[in-house]
Amino acid sequence: MPDSVSDLGEFGLIGAMTERLPQGPGVLLGPGDDSAVVAAPDSRVVVTTDLLVENRHFRRDWSAAADVGHKAAAQNLADIEAMGARPTALTVGLGTPLDLPASWALELAEGLREECAPLGVSVVGGDVVRSDLVIVAVTALGDLGGAEPVTRAGAQPGDVVAVCGRLGWAEAGHQVLSRGFRTPRVVVEAHRRPQIPYGAGVEASRLGATSMCDVSDGLLGDLGHIAAASGVRIDIDPAALDVAGPLREVASALGADPLAWVLTGGDDNALAATFPPDVELPERWNVIGSVAAKGDGDGDGVTVAGEPYDGNAGHDHFAG
Amino acid sequence: MPDSVSDLGEFGLIGAMTERLPQGPGVLLGPGDDSAVVAAPDSRVVVTTDLLVENRHFRRDWSAAADVGHKAAAQNLADIEAMGARPTALTVGLGTPLDLPASWALELAEGLREECAPLGVSVVGGDVVRSDLVIVAVTALGDLGGAEPVTRAGAQPGDVVAVCGRLGWAEAGHQVLSRGFRTPRVVVEAHRRPQIPYGAGVEASRLGATSMCDVSDGLLGDLGHIAAASGVRIDIDPAALDVAGPLREVASALGADPLAWVLTGGDDNALAATFPPDVELPERWNVIGSVAAKGDGDGDGVTVAGEPYDGNAGHDHFAG
């Protein structure tokens, strides 16, 4: 095994990564040509992209390469799910320092594959370039299977608001890691590898979801996007939120408020959706609030138990 | 106008860039949601991605922001053309320092639009993150319109090799800029904004091209990819290559060999293709060589006037 990506060379690295990324049946032409060709049976393609930069979105001393691969894939796949679509393929652009251990790049590929393979999603192509920090640029494609996309703009007064997936776990893990700890493992792992409720996006679409998004900026911030796009007000019932045991324990040890993590923590990539009030939701969907008509002076459109939340409502990635 | 992207804020920047990127008719859902939705009438989607990193792929003192937008779009659109497909949409991930002038980001968006709009291509979504250097991560989508993709693997002994577009111009411009000059303007502009022969990819497919690629690593390097993928040998007739006047002038002034730039210079994104010998090619395609069966000891598969070329045959982007 060569020590660094520089020892492998550009084409050696591409070849070794590609070997670790088998192609599924929806791939009509995989890596190695100018472009890939992927089946789009719906005759529409869903597309989303995210850029992950070392020391901003991940740290190599906090996350293993496979973790970064899992996370980079997962957060893009969640954006496909959030439209009510089925993810089909990824492309990955990798920026790498010349002295990056070759094993790091290959484990990144393995993490990508492990996140994608159970879903039948393939990494169909990419690019490898030199850069001073590690950069992972992922684009995900998806298929709507004949359904209409579920946007952020369809929430109606009277709808219920429901969430599927974890909230606050990744933030708890981030808080732990920020203080130099490595446990509790369950929250640290949640920071490293978000647990996406795969299939819940298509499920929500079939159940008649009127709007949906994934929670990457924090619940209040992302519901704020739905409220703004739909021209409605959303109220969250804090008693309905699941503040899990590990979050309470970590918050207690750190003297923090676990509810704040649930309301504003990003990076768990849960799905949040609105449904007509008579919907019957499967158990993994948790009703946490309701949609009302927007009145004058309703602020940013999201309240908690009827009041504006007095914490930081979401992430501006340009903030300090 | 705010001075920096930091003054605009993340969502302000996204909004201001999006305003500059109008959506064409093939866009079913544009920017602003978790994902975009793009028409894929062929029921297959062609996809390619490239990562551009400041000081590696462009320099802000050599290229204006609009130039970088043109180039980032063009080199991805060329990869779609090289499959015999019609480009339909782009996504763009932008990594930006907080102190990047807001005008730079907005002019980048305008460069992207100017390159895309004449083709009916829309920038349908993206991501904005903080990074120490400017990063532009582009993914392009395309549609095959019922045709089979033209890969690198179909060249046959007896085929002719033809090129459409410029060769060596961007490298001449790079050589000029590297020495601190800004003229001749025509080659400097070729470095800043490659001139893609749009439509030539679909044209080649209709003319029966047996293999195709875009010339991004240098003619010898990229034809080497075709030779390897097709299991053939390719011979280039150097007398057939167009060594344009400006290249001769610059090379003469710098004491360099302009033919070397034509054979090994990257970044013009010409299209190179092989065709059956009886093909009648439109004027913009220039026949420059021929395909033969691969014998033993044929090296990397590409020769010039029957001999191995003794210069550097292409770019390894990890090389110094």
Side-chain angles (χ1 to χ4, degrees):
Chain A
M1 163 75 71
D3 288 334
S4 73
V5 298
S6 173
D7 296 329
L8 272 176
E10 180 186 5
F11 295 113
L13 175 60
I14 292 171
M17 291 184 74
T18 303
E19 268 178 29
R20 283 160 176 80
L21 298 166
Q23 302 298 305
V27 183
L28 306 168
L29 183 67
D33 220 296
D34 292 81
S35 303
V37 184
V38 178
D42 178 79
S43 296
R44 297 170 294 179
V45 63
V46 183
V47 58
T48 185
T49 197
D50 274 329
L51 193 54
L52 284 80
V53 179
E54 183 179 2
N55 297 341
R56 190 73 60 193
H57 303 96
F58 62 88
R59 286 174 49 161
R60 277 195 269 157
D61 56 341
W62 285 5
S63 296
D67 295 330
V68 177
H70 274 275
K71 187 170 187 160
Q75 71 181 51
N76 279 278
L77 298 171
D79 279 324
I80 299 292
E81 289 272 344
M83 306 308 292
R86 175 183 60 85
T88 56
L90 296 187
T91 62
V92 179
L94 172 64
T96 169
L98 287 184
D99 63 356
L100 186 75
S103 58
W104 200 96
L106 302 185
E107 286 164 20
L108 175 78
E110 284 170 7
L112 291 163
R113 183 197 63 210
E114 286 166 7
E115 189 73 23
C116 290
L119 310 172
V121 172
S122 306
V123 180
V124 298
D127 190 20
V128 170
V129 304
R130 281 174 65 178
S131 65
D132 293 332
L133 292 173
V134 177
I135 302 165
V136 184
V138 177
T139 298
L141 304 182
D143 192 84
L144 284 160
E148 285 311 295
V150 182
T151 71
R152 297 176 176 181
Q156 298 291 328
D159 284 353
V160 297
V161 179
V163 169
C164 180
R166 293 168 161 183
L167 293 173
W169 289 62
E171 181 60 25
H174 185 258
Q175 294 291 335
V176 164
L177 287 162
S178 299
R179 286 166 173 79
F181 301 120
R182 290 290 184 277
T183 57
R185 194 180 172 87
V186 67
V187 296
V188 170
E189 283 299 315
H191 165 81
R192 291 175 175 150
R193 301 187 183 188
Q195 300 294 311
I196 312 299
Y198 289 117
V202 169
E203 180 178 74
S205 174
R206 289 187 181 148
L207 290 164
T210 52
S211 73
M212 184 156 50
C213 66
D214 92 310
V215 182
S216 51
D217 291 345
L219 181 64
L220 292 179
D222 285 309
L223 288 180
H225 298 150
I226 285 184
S230 300
V232 297
R233 187 166 62 81
I234 289 176
D235 187 53
I236 297 173
D237 174 8
L241 289 170
D242 177 26
V243 184
L247 273 64
R248 294 184 192 278
E249 285 165 35
V250 173
S252 172
L254 301 181
D257 174 12
L259 184 63
W261 297 343
V262 171
L263 288 170
T264 67
D267 287 343
D268 287 297
N269 302 106
L271 294 177
T274 57
F275 296 92
D278 57 351
V279 69
E280 291 192 32
L281 291 171
E283 191 163 357
R284 64 173 168 173
W285 286 90
N286 181 29
V287 174
I288 61 157
S290 58
V291 180
K294 191 163 167 57
D296 294 336
D298 273 347
D300 70 356
V302 182
T303 51
V304 178
E307 300 292 333
Y309 184 69
D310 61 1
N312 171 22
H315 293 292
D316 183 317
H317 294 100
F318 286 6
Chain B
M1 162 76 72
D3 288 334
S4 72
V5 297
S6 173
D7 296 329
L8 271 176
E10 180 186 3
F11 295 113
L13 175 60
I14 292 171
M17 290 184 74
T18 303
E19 266 178 29
R20 284 160 175 81
L21 298 167
Q23 301 299 305
V27 182
L28 306 169
L29 182 68
D33 220 295
D34 291 82
S35 304
V37 183
V38 179
D42 177 78
S43 296
R44 296 170 295 178
V45 63
V46 182
V47 58
T48 186
T49 196
D50 274 330
L51 194 53
L52 284 81
V53 179
E54 183 178 4
N55 297 340
R56 190 73 59 191
H57 303 97
F58 62 89
R59 285 175 49 161
R60 277 196 269 158
D61 57 338
W62 285 6
S63 295
D67 296 329
V68 176
H70 274 276
K71 187 170 187 159
Q75 70 182 53
N76 279 277
L77 297 171
D79 279 323
I80 299 292
E81 289 272 345
M83 306 307 293
R86 174 182 61 84
T88 56
L90 296 187
T91 62
V92 179
L94 172 64
T96 169
L98 287 184
D99 64 355
L100 185 77
S103 59
W104 200 97
L106 302 183
E107 286 164 19
L108 175 78
E110 284 170 5
L112 290 163
R113 184 197 62 211
E114 288 167 6
E115 188 73 23
C116 291
L119 311 173
V121 173
S122 305
V123 180
V124 297
D127 190 19
V128 170
V129 304
R130 282 173 65 178
S131 64
D132 293 332
L133 292 172
V134 177
I135 303 166
V136 185
V138 177
T139 298
L141 304 182
D143 192 86
L144 284 160
E148 286 309 296
V150 182
T151 71
R152 299 175 176 181
Q156 299 290 329
D159 283 353
V160 297
V161 179
V163 169
C164 181
R166 293 165 161 185
L167 293 172
W169 288 62
E171 181 60 26
H174 185 259
Q175 295 290 335
V176 164
L177 288 162
S178 299
R179 286 166 174 78
F181 302 120
R182 291 290 184 276
T183 57
R185 193 180 175 86
V186 67
V187 296
V188 170
E189 283 299 316
H191 164 81
R192 290 176 176 150
R193 301 187 183 190
Q195 301 294 311
I196 312 298
Y198 289 116
V202 169
E203 178 177 75
S205 173
R206 289 186 181 149
L207 290 164
T210 52
S211 73
M212 182 155 53
C213 65
D214 91 309
V215 182
S216 52
D217 291 344
L219 181 64
L220 292 179
D222 284 308
L223 288 180
H225 297 151
I226 285 183
S230 301
V232 297
R233 189 164 60 81
I234 289 176
D235 187 55
I236 297 173
D237 174 9
L241 289 169
D242 175 27
V243 184
L247 273 63
R248 293 184 192 280
E249 287 165 33
V250 173
S252 171
L254 301 182
D257 173 11
L259 184 62
W261 297 342
V262 171
L263 288 170
T264 67
D267 287 343
D268 288 295
N269 302 105
L271 294 177
T274 57
F275 296 92
D278 56 353
V279 70
E280 291 192 28
L281 290 172
E283 190 161 358
R284 63 173 167 172
W285 287 89
N286 181 29
V287 174
I288 61 156
S290 58
V291 179
K294 191 164 168 58
D296 294 336
D298 273 347
D300 71 353
V302 182
T303 52
V304 178
E307 301 290 334
Y309 184 69
D310 61 1
N312 171 20
H315 292 290
D316 183 318
H317 294 100
F318 285 4

